[in-house]
Amino acid sequence: MSSTSAAAYVTLTAVDNSIEGADFLRRRAEVLAAQTRGLEPNSDERRRMLTKVATYAEDWMAALPSLPGQVPDDDDAVAALDGREIAETATDIDAVLEALWSGVDRVGVNESSGRFFGYIPGSGTYLGALGDYLAAVTNRYVGVKPAGPGAVRLERRVLAWIASWLGYPPDCGGDLTSGGSIATQTAVVTAREAAPVEPEDIRRTVVYLTAQTHHAVDKALRIAGLKRAVYRRIPVDAAFRMRAEALNEAIRQDRKAGLRPWLVVASAGSTDTGAIDPLPALADICAAHDVWFHVDAAYGGAFALCEPGRRKLAGIERSDSVVFDPHKGLFVPWGTGVVLIKDRNAMARAHAYQAAYLADFSADLGAHDPSPADLSPELTRPFRGLRVWMTLQLAGVGALRAALEEKLVLAEYAHLRLGEREDIEVGPPPDLSVVIFRWVPRDRDSNEANHQLNHALQDDGRIYLSSTIIDGQVTLRLAILNARTHLAHVDDAIDAIVDMTKKL
Ligand SMILES: *Cc1c(COP(=O)(O)O)cnc(C)c1O
């Protein structure tokens, strides 16, 4: 309400009630305050609700090992939510939790399950959820440093820790984002401003990627106003990795033609196949041609934490920017992405902002802890770092390191076991933890057969796989990244796949 209409409202009601203005307002404020009681439960009520919520969470955690990878869409279950009206007065927590259970948590794919192998799995750490609970209760403000110096420092510590094992300097720019997509957008906008790519340059500006590049990159470029730039899809080799010599040649040709090579996007763990582009060779080419080198490690980045993964990801430290999703590889709840940009000032030039109402919080870019808002498209945002920090503190990094190496081992194992079957054709040995394969029965079209197999497995629900299309071929993927996926789950998955091929 504008101040004029607010004043008009006050005057009218005060006159109608024939009471002195200030007295009337005082009484009205007290009546309204009494009606807000439901917003602030007392200590007994809080304990009662928290116990119910904790019991719900405990029931979920206890059921998880036996919950399927997916419960197929169930309109009746979801309709339970429609029956739960959003009412004028408070509803008891039992009824609320019942609606949540039947309408939300019982249906759809179950990313928290060790039997979930679709897309790129998440997990959700219980330890991270405890951090989310506290972050929401205390509601610390992490947009600007002076408002929450401790919270901002904690997030910087998390970013510096990630930077340390991705090989980035401690004073690099970085932001905790809602996910890989916004992290990618932050990197693209920073690279655009660093060049800079002016509107009149767009049509001669060239981006290099492959057919395997995640669509989040195309989306980020489009949102950044660059959809009219020139896109060069560089061919990949038999293991789906960008051909470095083809990239070098494309850049040379473009330069000669008067175009402006600007950005190379490498995948360090592509979504379809988990392939890692040849990072050292690409880094050399980008350095030689003075092109921004971006690495999309949203899925694969976490593997740099364990020794075998670190070797596979060598060269990632030579990029100008990198994106990594803790809500995938560090297993924490959804809503956690990271972008690191080697040149912190470039990131600030693209994102820092001054506003009259923030004058108390003037940008201090040289500071050890810059304000997150100066390096981010966001101002106010959740205290995302706490869910990562709590997970690291309460589990210990060793547990995460082991979980990641375990996924690499399980992927190699699944590749070997699937490869033993005559009617299954496996893809190249996995660079990371995605195993691709196709069922190739003699008696029918294999695209049709793989569609059928995928749907039959999804309907069965014991495990959840997803498919993709590579070079026109329907291909199944076993993406092994859930923290709860262990050997027994991979054995279950292989058994389910083999059983199903026999039934179909
Ligand atoms: C998941 C993913 C993204 C997108 O990240 P979101 O967190 O889903 O926004 C981008 N690139 C790759 C390689 C991914 O695996």
Side-chain angles (χ1 to χ4, degrees), residues 345-382:
N345 289 324
M347 198 175 184
R349 277 196 298 277
H351 294 94
Y353 207 82
Q354 294 295 333
Y357 49 85
L358 294 177
D360 294 346
F361 300 137
S362 66
D364 182 5
L365 298 176
H368 180 57
D369 299 331
S371 281
D374 285 328
L375 303 177
S376 165
E378 294 181 288
L379 175 55
T380 303
R381 64 166 177 77

Side-chain angles (χ1 to χ4, degrees), residues 156 159-164 166-175 319-322 338-348 365 367-370 375:
R156 285 293 124 188
L159 286 168
W161 173 74
I162 292 169
S164 72
L166 286 176
Y168 266 51
D171 65 348
C172 66
D175 189 31
S319 56
D320 295 297
S321 53
V322 61
V338 164
V339 56
L340 296 180
I341 299 200
K342 205 163 267 168
D343 177 356
R344 180 191 284 181
N345 289 324
M347 198 175 184
L365 298 176
H368 180 57
D369 299 331
L375 303 177

Side-chain angles (χ1 to χ4, degrees), residues 125-140 142 150-156 158-159 176 332-333 335-336 381-394:
T125 52
Y126 188 80
L127 307 173
L130 297 179
D132 273 1
Y133 172 71
L134 292 178
V137 170
T138 61
N139 209 27
R140 303 309 297 174
V142 284
V152 169
R153 171 66 59 86
L154 184 147
E155 292 205 337
R156 285 293 124 188
V158 167
L159 286 168
L176 281 158
V332 300
T336 325
R381 64 166 177 77
F383 183 16
R384 299 181 177 115
L386 190 55
R387 63 173 79 111
V388 183
W389 192 79
M390 289 280 275
T391 300
L392 298 173
Q393 294 288 336
L394 297 175

